[in-house]
């Protein structure tokens, strides 16, 4: 079993190979946690990461959520709703080139019920924001990254950094070997029972304690620790 990451206290965390990813999430869904369920938990965790990053300024910090494709885009929309529910200054930019799937469309419908705004790039141009939260399975438009660069915002990423930059990344479920993560890594508890790991041949212990998000670190291979 690959254990390329660990907690701050050294507890190992299984790492999936790219070939295992689809099988892993299919096993999670079969166990009773389809994307429609765990996206909600992941969205809350993403909102918690954003709130923690803003610190004491969370009520006044301006947040823009960049929503792209796939399940990760749905997680970003869920996070935007959780932030909007707290009367934060949050707005969503939806990649105009994506075709929403059912999960993403449901999250968008819920987000609209908060009364928070959806904006296009022209409405963002020239604005300064505190945090940009990005969720997409595929690259976003170059124009949106040009705006991020001039916005002065710190970029938080949900899942792998398929483009752009990030000061912190929230990993969902388990980290993936060779995935292009950026910045400080955090692992989100999306509610997967330990028996599901075991069914898929992954030995894992509950590493979250009383937290829903924990920082994780790359392990130093034993062969590299020779004195």
């Amino acid at each position: 079993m690959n254990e390329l990451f660990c907690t701050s206290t050294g507890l190992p965390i299984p790492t999936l190979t790219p070939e295992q990813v689809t099988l892993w999430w299919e096993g999670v869904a079969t166990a009773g946690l389809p994307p429609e369920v765990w996206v909600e938990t992941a969205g809350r965790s993403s909102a918690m990461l954003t709130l923690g990053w803003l610190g004491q300024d969370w009520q006044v910090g301006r947040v823009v959520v960049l929503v792209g494709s796939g399940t990760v885009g749905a997680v970003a929309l869920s996070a935007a709703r959780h932030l909007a529910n707290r009367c934060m200054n949050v707005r969503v930019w939806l990649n105009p080139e994506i075709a929403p799937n059912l999960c993403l469309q449901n999250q968008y419908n819920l987000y609209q019920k908060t009364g928070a705004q959806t904006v296009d790039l022209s409405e963002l141009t020239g604005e300064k924001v505190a945090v940009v939260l990005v969720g997409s399975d595929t690259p976003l438009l170059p124009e949106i990254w040009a705006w991020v660069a001039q916005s002065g915002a710190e970029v938080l990423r949900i899942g792998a950094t398929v483009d752009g930059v990030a000061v912190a990344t929230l990993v969902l479920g388990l980290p993936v070997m060779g995935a292009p993560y950026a910045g400080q890594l955090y692992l989100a508890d999306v509610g997967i029972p330990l028996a599901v790991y075991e069914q898929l041949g992954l030995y894992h212990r509950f590493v979250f304690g009383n937290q829903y998000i924990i920082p994780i670190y790359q392990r130093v291979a034993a062969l590299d620790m020779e004195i």
Side-chain angles (χ1 to χ4, degrees), residues 7 12 15 21 25-26 35 43 60 70 84 86 90 100 103 113 138 158 164 168 175 189 194 197 225:
T7 68
T15 305
V21 173
W25 286 114
E26 286 177 351
V60 295
R86 284 153 180 78
V90 58
C103 187
K113 290 178 170 59
T138 55
I158 304 169
D189 176 11
L194 293 181
Y197 295 86
M225 295 178 65

Side-chain angles (χ1 to χ4, degrees), residues 16-83:
L16 300 174
T17 66
E19 294 75 23
Q20 289 175 311
V21 173
T22 299
L23 179 63
W24 160 252
W25 286 114
E26 286 177 351
V28 170
T30 300
L33 278 176
E36 293 77 12
V37 177
W38 64 258
V39 157
E40 265 301 294
T41 308
R44 181 186 62 184
S45 293
S46 302
M48 290 171 65
L49 178 64
T50 305
L51 290 168
W53 211 262
L54 290 168
Q56 294 182 342
D57 296 328
W58 70 271
Q59 289 179 301
V60 295
R62 306 186 74 166
V63 177
V64 170
V65 181
L66 305 182
V67 178
S69 63
T71 306
V72 178
V75 172
L77 272 171
S78 174
R81 171 167 47 85
H82 284 290
L83 295 172

Side-chain angles (χ1 to χ4, degrees), residues 105-143:
Q105 186 62 57
N106 288 341
Q107 288 296 332
Y108 179 64
N109 292 342
L110 286 168
Y111 172 75
Q112 287 185 305
K113 290 178 170 59
T114 68
Q117 290 181 305
T118 302
V119 294
D120 59 31
L121 182 57
S122 65
E123 295 172 278
L124 292 173
T125 302
E127 287 207 15
K128 301 295 182 182
V129 300
V131 167
V132 168
L133 179 65
V134 183
S136 181
D137 286 334
T138 55
L140 302 179
L141 300 174
E143 302 94 297

